Amino acid sequence: MKYYYPTIFQPTEGDHLLIVVPDLDGCISQGDDLEDAMYMAKDAINCWLDEYEEKDYPKPSGVNDIDKSEYPDSFVSLVEYDPKDFKHNQTNEYTENYSEGQPAMSL
């Protein structure tokens, strides 16, 4: 099953993006650009949800329910998370499986 968590993206000094996933308390990260920020958002969600069984994942809010008043000049976007994309390998490192036919990459 796929999950879609609304995520706040706020530009910071140095043209980076702060990433905040309000539904996952303390789930924050940053990216160098929008593409990197989307990847880092998925990774942050994965790390946060790794502590839970899928049946216990927090229910995502709607995009319009997100309060971004603390994050000036920010925008909200849904970030797709599919637990099947992240699997543990034998060394307990994460491997992300790319569906676009790209080779798997250890994080």
Side-chain angles (χ1 to χ4, degrees):
M1 179 174 197
K2 294 182 181 181
Y3 298 84
Y4 298 88
Y5 284 97
T7 302
I8 298 170
F9 295 86
Q10 179 189 26
T12 63
E13 292 182 32
D15 294 327
H16 298 297
L17 289 165
L18 171 69
I19 302 158
V20 179
V21 185
D23 292 328
L24 308 178
D25 189 36
C27 185
I28 61 173
S29 190
Q30 73 174 18
D32 294 333
D33 54 32
L34 185 55
E35 181 179 356
D36 185 50
M38 290 299 285
Y39 175 83
M40 296 304 293
K42 285 184 178 186
D43 184 59
I45 292 169
N46 176 64
C47 290
W48 200 98
L49 293 176
D50 186 53
E51 299 292 320
Y52 299 90
E53 291 194 30
E54 189 171 350
K55 66 179 179 63
D56 297 325
Y57 287 175
K59 182 179 178 183
S61 299
V63 171
N64 294 329
D65 297 329
I66 299 301
D67 177 12
K68 58 183 191 119
S69 61
E70 294 181 40
Y71 306 97
D73 302 319
S74 65
F75 62 93
V76 177
S77 180
L78 291 176
V79 174
E80 179 186 282
Y81 174 72
D82 186 344
K84 294 177 186 174
D85 286 345
F86 291 88
K87 298 179 181 181
H88 291 272
N89 66 21
Q90 293 177 349
T91 62
N92 290 329
E93 293 178 0
Y94 291 103
T95 300
E96 182 173 355
N97 298 313
Y98 291 90
S99 59
E100 296 89 46
Q102 298 174 352
M105 176 168 69
S106 292
L107 302 178

